[in-house]
């Protein structure tokens, strides 16, 4: 399991729940305890993973660096139960989800179809299954939390350059350390720039990130961290959709084919401002509070594929119909959160009490206009699958100003308070109980359709430790998701209560041989209820189908994660996940969104990944090799999405002047579909790519 116990390279001025100390980690070797972290804050308190009655994984800075990961999609293979769905979306324990947290709060700047970048991320924490008691409304598969880099009171820095195929070139740098002799003010500044072409015709990517943090020691027990991050992303010839396939999952043309014109694009501009206060109020009491504000703007001009067709009557699909979409999204988000953690002894037992609350408001403005495809009388021409000619058309040819502009302006407010007690019965038993009350509001400010409600969620767990490095547990947790604002309209039968979900999970965690052998195994069942579907037995009202809460979905599976130091210089991580997600309650003839029949789209039954790294100290060189397997799935049109296996490798050598890494992805250049998307085709996986990264630390 990547990440259940090891050193952070740069000690930070603040942690998620308590001021950091500089002497709690002893580095014993580059390979030993390489990909593990002693504590995680995914459960709102700083805990040893063995003391959390729920499956989790932590992908730390060392793993991110060794794998040369640039964005979150590079890391999915390390997480059991998680596979790629689309853009930043994943299939998580059978369910599609896209939401993510940063430093434990809402406020994802990568709105719409942008993918979270990792340059300023220290580690990625993953809590499996529902976490409504801790995080409020959310997806049932699990919670992904990005922990950002913060200033250190130890001076350090690094400059990195990268060059690779597809005209890849980039440079990044970061520096951190104290700015005064007393070390009471620390700074971290970083910048990242990288651009490259894509294997898809016309397409490419350019990412620019600026990051600044200031840490202030207000008192010997209180730290304040201020952070500003700026993101600028340009993606020529995007938004990328898939490549058409037949029902057996075979690509109809080369995977380099692109439905977009050279003048198409997707851009993202975002700014994030965050302040975090962490204080040791007393020897047994800690407090933290976070305020996060983000504003993001995404603009897209792209040609949307609308299905493959036969244009010459020979029975072969040879072209794709297209429409043109001009879209704009603007999102402003403000999140506030606070936690108070107290260790007390009462009734002869040790209690760790967590009391906290959070509140978030997001305003999302969406504007769109669409030029229709030629077969519907529109100006957008078809595009050949085999002999595409680009540059003959584009936004300027479609008289966009004359097209109707659709708008939506939605405000979502989420707020809740929670209380949790973690009780220790001697050295062997830990019991956990938590409750949360939430209030949520959704307001469509153009149609005056709004909805508000409240919900109570719970979390229960019991841990038994036959020895201090082995933990067995059983837990129950639940969550909920408010229905979409459009589904609350009275014309469709609204308002409706939220979708609810709960999970029962049992598992075992180990940290044997001083933490050098860690194995996590979990078995779970997740049930979701109150899912809306169109009820065809009822007549439409004002042209809109009537919705009814008649759905139920059950997800069952098990996962195994292993992280071990095979020798002092050889580390191995591996994971496997089995999942069976099915519709278990529905109306006759109906189907749930993202499902075909009773199978869920892009949800594999089997998924596995591994990464192993062997270092040769005399050569100052490390060799790494990894792979990923994803079983067969179905796409939105019930098309087959073939199973695939891909392998990666890297060589890292440390010279006197720099560290050099050679990384090869998709080592054997396999052609595969990463996910299926029906009319839009299947997303092709990236072919073999190579890059060299040179870095100098100081």
């Amino acid at each position: 399991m990547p990440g259940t116990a090891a050193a952070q390279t740069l000690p930070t001025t603040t942690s998620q729940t308590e001021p950091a100390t500089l002497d709690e980690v002893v580095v014993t070797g580059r390979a030993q305890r390489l990909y593990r972290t002693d504590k995680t804050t995914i459960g709102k308190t700083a805990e040893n993973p063995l003391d959390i009655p729920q499956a989790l994984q932590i992908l730390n800075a060392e793993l991110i660096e060794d794998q040369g990961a640039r964005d979150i999609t590079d890391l999915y293979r390390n997480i059991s139960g998680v596979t790629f769905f689309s853009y930043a979306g994943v299939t998580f324990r059978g369910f599609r989800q896209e939401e993510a947290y940063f430093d434990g709060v809402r406020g994802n700047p990568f709105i719409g179809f942008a993918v979270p970048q990792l340059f300023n991320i220290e580690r990625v924490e993953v809590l499996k299954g529902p976490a409504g008691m801790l995080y409020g409304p959310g997806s049932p598969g699990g919670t992904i939390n990005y922990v950002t880099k913060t200033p250190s009171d130890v001076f350090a820095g690094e400059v990195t350059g990268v060059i690779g195929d597809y005209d890849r070139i980039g440079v990044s740098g970061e520096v951190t350390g104290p700015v005064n002799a007393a070390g009471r003010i620390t700074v971290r500044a970083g910048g990242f720039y990288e651009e490259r072409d894509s294997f898809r015709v016309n397409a490419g990517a350019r990412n620019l990130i600026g990051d600044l943090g200031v840490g202030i020691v207000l008192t010997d027990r209180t730290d304040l961290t201020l952070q500003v991050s700026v993101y600028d992303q340009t993606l020529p010839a995007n938004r990328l959709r898939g490549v058409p396939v037949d029902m057996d999952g075979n690509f109809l043309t080369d995977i380099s084919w692109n439905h977009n014109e050279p003048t198409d694009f997707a851009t993202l501009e975002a700014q994030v401002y965050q302040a975090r206060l962490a204080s040791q109020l007393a020897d047994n009491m800690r407090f933290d509070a976070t305020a996060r504000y983000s504003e993001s703007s995404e603009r897209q001009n792209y040609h949307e594929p609308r299905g493959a067709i036969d244009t010459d009557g020979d029975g072969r699909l040879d072209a794709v119909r297209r429409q043109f979409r001009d879209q704009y999204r603007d999102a402003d988000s403000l999140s506030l959160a606070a936690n108070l953690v107290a260790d007390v002894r009462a009734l002869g037992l040790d209690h760790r009490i967590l009391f906290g609350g959070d509140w978030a408001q997001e305003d999302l403005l969406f504007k769109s206009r669409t030029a229709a495809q030629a077969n519907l009388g529109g100006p957008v021409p078809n595009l050949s699958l085999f002999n595409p000619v680009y540059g003959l058309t584009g936004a300027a040819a479609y008289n966009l100003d004359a097209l109707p502009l659709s708008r939506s302006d939605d405000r979502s407010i989420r707020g809740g308070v929670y209380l949790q007690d973690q009780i220790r019965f001697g050295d062997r038993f830990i019991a956990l109980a938590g409750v949360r009350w939430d209030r949520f509001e959704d307001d469509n400010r153009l149609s005056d359709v709004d909805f508000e409600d409240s919900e109570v969620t719970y979390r229960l767990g019991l841990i038994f430790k036959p020895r201090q490095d082995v933990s067995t547990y059983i837990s129950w947790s639940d969550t909920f998701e408010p229905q979409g604002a459009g589904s609350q309209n009275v014309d469709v039968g609204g308002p409706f209560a939220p979708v609810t979900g709960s999970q029962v999970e049992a598992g075992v965690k180990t940290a044997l041989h001083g933490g050098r052998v860690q194995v996590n195994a979990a078995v779970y069942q997740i049930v979701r209820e109150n899912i809306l579907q169109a009820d065809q037995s009822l007549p439409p009202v004002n042209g809109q189908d009537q919705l009814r809460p008649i759905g139920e979905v059950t997800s069952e599976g098990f996962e195994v994660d292993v992280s071990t130091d095979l020798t002092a210089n050889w580390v191995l991580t591996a994971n496997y996940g089995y999942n069976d997600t099915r519709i278990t309650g529905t109306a006759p003839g109906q189907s749930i969104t993202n499902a075909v029949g009773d199978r869920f789209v892009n949800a594999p039954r089997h998924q596995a990944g591994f990464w192993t790294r062997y270092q040769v100290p005399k050569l100052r060189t490390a060799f790494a090799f990894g792979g990923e397997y994803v079983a067969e799935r179905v796409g939105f049109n019930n098309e087959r999405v073939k199973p695939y296996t891909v392998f990666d490798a890297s060589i890292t050598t440390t010279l006197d002047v720099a560290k050099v890494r050679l990384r090869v992805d998709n080592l054997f250049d396999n052609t595969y579909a990463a996910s299926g998307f029906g009319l839009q085709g299947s997303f092709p996986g990236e072919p073999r790519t190579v890059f060299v990264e040179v870095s100098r630390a100081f």
Side-chain angles (χ1 to χ4, degrees):
M1 158 191 70
T4 42
Q8 297 301 321
T9 326
L10 299 177
T12 57
T13 306
T14 60
S15 71
Q16 286 294 98
T17 60
E18 57 187 355
T21 59
L22 299 179
D23 56 355
E24 60 186 277
V25 173
V26 177
V27 178
T28 58
R30 182 67 176 97
Q32 292 182 352
R33 302 170 61 83
L34 179 60
Y35 298 143
R36 299 187 293 275
T37 305
D38 287 317
K39 289 185 178 181
T40 175
T41 53
I42 189 69
K44 299 288 189 178
T45 65
E47 296 287 350
N48 184 326
L50 269 65
D51 295 341
I52 297 176
Q54 205 162 332
L56 60 92
Q57 286 182 261
I58 307 162
L59 313 180
N60 66 6
E62 288 81 6
L63 181 68
I64 294 172
E65 177 189 353
D66 279 355
Q67 296 194 352
R70 288 328 197 244
D71 61 54
I72 186 58
T73 63
D74 295 325
L75 296 178
Y76 291 151
R77 68 184 56 186
N78 301 288
I79 310 171
S80 61
V82 169
T83 53
F84 174 79
F85 197 109
S86 63
Y87 311 106
V90 297
T91 298
F92 203 152
R93 286 192 169 180
F95 299 106
R96 181 182 184 180
Q97 69 178 70
E98 297 175 348
E99 190 172 34
Y101 294 78
F102 285 75
D103 294 322
V105 298
R106 299 175 189 270
N108 186 355
F110 300 98
I111 61 172
F113 302 89
V115 178
Q117 304 295 301
L118 298 174
F119 167 71
N120 58 339
I121 300 301
E122 179 68 24
R123 66 183 184 270
V124 180
E125 301 177 326
V126 182
L127 184 66
K128 309 290 187 69
M133 182 253 127
L134 294 171
Y135 291 94
S139 301
T143 301
I144 297 178
N145 179 49
Y146 297 89
V147 179
T148 57
K149 294 179 180 179
T150 53
S152 168
D153 55 6
V154 176
F155 177 78
E158 187 173 48
V159 176
T160 301
V162 64
I163 188 170
D165 52 4
Y166 297 104
D167 292 329
R168 182 177 196 163
I169 189 169
V171 62
S172 64
E174 54 187 305
V175 62
T176 185
V179 297
N180 62 348
R184 301 185 73 86
I185 299 178
T186 56
V187 172
R188 177 189 175 275
F192 174 91
Y193 178 84
E194 188 168 295
E195 64 176 304
R196 62 175 299 198
D197 292 335
S198 169
F199 68 96
R200 305 283 298 273
V201 175
N202 304 325
R206 190 206 72 189
N207 281 284
L208 177 64
I209 302 172
D211 196 49
L212 176 66
V214 178
I216 305 171
V217 180
L218 299 177
T219 71
D220 291 342
R221 288 175 172 261
T222 304
D223 297 337
L224 174 66
T225 304
L226 306 174
Q227 295 168 267
V228 178
S229 301
V230 178
Y231 304 91
D232 189 331
Q233 183 180 81
T234 300
L235 306 175
N238 276 256
R239 174 168 90 189
L240 282 177
R241 295 296 202 175
V243 174
V245 297
D246 60 24
M247 294 304 292
D248 290 326
N250 301 304
F251 288 110
L252 298 182
T253 187
D254 191 86
I255 62 171
S256 64
W257 183 86
N258 188 357
H259 49 90
N260 287 309
E261 295 290 333
T263 52
D264 292 351
F265 63 87
T267 62
L268 172 75
E269 295 181 356
Q271 300 85 41
V272 180
Y273 308 90
Q274 181 171 293
R276 183 173 184 84
L277 182 74
S279 180
Q280 190 80 32
L281 300 177
D283 290 343
N284 67 332
M285 187 176 298
R286 300 179 297 280
F287 173 79
D288 70 77
T290 303
R292 181 180 178 88
Y293 174 76
S294 66
E295 51 186 21
S296 305
S297 296
E298 185 179 65
R299 178 74 188 274
Q300 296 179 346
N301 272 197
Y302 72 102
H303 285 76
E304 171 79 358
R306 302 304 295 166
I309 55 174
D310 175 11
T311 60
D312 55 14
D314 66 355
R316 183 180 73 157
L317 300 175
D318 56 15
V320 166
R321 291 186 175 123
R322 301 181 299 170
Q323 59 180 213
F324 180 80
R325 296 180 178 180
D326 176 21
Q327 298 182 345
Y328 172 80
R329 293 171 178 83
D330 184 272
D332 296 332
S333 173
L334 175 63
S335 298
L336 308 172
N339 296 287
L340 179 66
V341 182
D343 294 315
V344 300
R345 188 164 179 83
L347 302 177
L349 299 172
D350 293 323
H351 299 254
R352 173 161 290 178
I353 297 174
L354 165 67
F355 175 69
D358 50 54
W359 179 91
Q361 174 180 294
E362 181 181 70
D363 294 327
L364 178 61
L365 173 66
F366 175 64
K367 296 186 291 185
S368 175
R369 48 193 172 189
T370 301
Q373 58 260 37
N375 67 304
L376 296 181
V380 184
N382 303 330
L383 183 69
S384 170
L385 282 173
F386 307 108
N387 298 294
V389 179
Y390 296 102
L392 301 180
T393 188
Y398 301 142
N399 193 17
L400 295 178
D401 290 339
L403 297 175
L405 182 69
S406 64
R407 293 169 52 96
S408 65
D409 189 356
D410 298 317
R411 167 169 288 179
S412 298
I413 297 176
R414 306 285 185 264
V417 293
Y418 46 89
L419 178 66
Q420 178 179 278
D421 190 5
Q422 186 183 49
I423 310 169
R424 291 183 178 270
F425 299 84
D427 295 331
R428 296 188 180 275
F429 287 94
I430 302 175
L432 181 145
V435 61
R436 176 184 175 114
W437 178 84
D438 272 286
R439 181 78 177 173
F440 56 91
E441 302 176 23
D442 290 307
D443 181 17
N444 186 321
R445 292 185 287 185
L446 294 180
S447 63
D448 291 327
V449 174
D450 55 31
F451 179 75
E452 59 183 46
D453 201 353
S454 61
E455 190 76 17
V456 177
T457 48
Y458 302 91
R459 185 181 187 219
L460 301 171
L462 180 64
I463 295 173
F464 170 64
K465 289 186 170 182
R467 46 188 285 177
Q468 287 306 299
D469 52 8
V470 176
S471 173
T472 63
Y473 69 90
I474 186 169
S475 65
W476 178 87
S477 55
D478 66 350
T479 190
F480 70 97
E481 293 180 88
Q483 308 286 359
S487 300
Q488 303 293 15
N489 194 318
V490 294
D491 285 347
V492 298
F496 296 101
V499 177
T500 58
S502 63
Q503 172 183 266
V504 176
E505 178 179 299
V508 60
K509 304 177 184 181
T510 73
L512 303 171
H513 301 291
R516 291 191 296 273
V517 177
Q518 297 210 352
V519 178
N520 282 6
V523 59
Y524 60 88
Q525 181 188 71
I526 303 173
V527 178
R528 297 183 75 196
E529 298 176 325
N530 211 37
I531 298 173
L532 296 183
Q533 299 179 95
D535 190 339
Q536 302 300 328
S537 67
L538 299 175
V541 175
N542 293 329
Q544 299 189 67
D545 290 333
Q546 294 294 285
L547 303 178
R548 291 295 180 268
I550 50 179
E552 179 189 86
V553 176
T554 300
S555 169
E556 297 177 330
F558 65 87
E559 298 160 351
V560 179
D561 305 288
V562 178
S563 180
T564 180
D565 298 327
L566 298 172
T567 70
N569 296 303
W570 189 6
V571 65
L572 168 69
T573 70
N575 67 81
Y576 168 76
Y578 169 82
N579 177 268
D580 185 20
T581 301
R582 292 184 177 274
I583 299 169
T584 51
T586 184
Q590 298 301 300
S591 179
I592 294 174
T593 301
N594 294 328
V596 177
D598 68 347
R599 294 188 63 187
F600 264 53
V601 172
N602 289 320
R605 286 196 178 157
H606 306 277
Q607 165 268 327
F610 76 94
W611 178 261
T612 185
R613 181 182 187 275
Y614 183 79
Q615 63 184 25
V616 184
K618 290 184 178 181
L619 299 178
R620 303 172 70 186
T621 300
F623 302 88
F625 183 65
E628 176 186 28
Y629 167 75
V630 177
E632 181 175 308
R633 294 151 291 159
V634 297
F636 280 94
N637 282 356
N638 202 26
E639 74 275 16
R640 182 187 183 215
V641 184
K642 294 181 178 181
Y644 69 84
T645 304
V646 293
F647 297 99
D648 310 316
S650 72
I651 301 174
T652 304
T653 186
T654 302
L655 307 175
D656 291 336
V657 295
K659 180 169 62 178
V660 181
R661 175 179 294 109
L662 169 66
R663 167 83 183 202
V664 183
D665 290 331
N666 194 356
L667 187 62
F668 301 109
D669 201 22
N670 291 337
T671 298
Y672 67 98
S675 68
F677 237 68
L679 275 178
Q680 287 78 32
S682 288
F683 282 101
E686 195 168 56
R688 180 169 53 230
T689 58
V690 180
F691 69 85
V692 176
E693 187 179 71
V694 181
S695 60
R696 173 66 186 265
F698 53 89

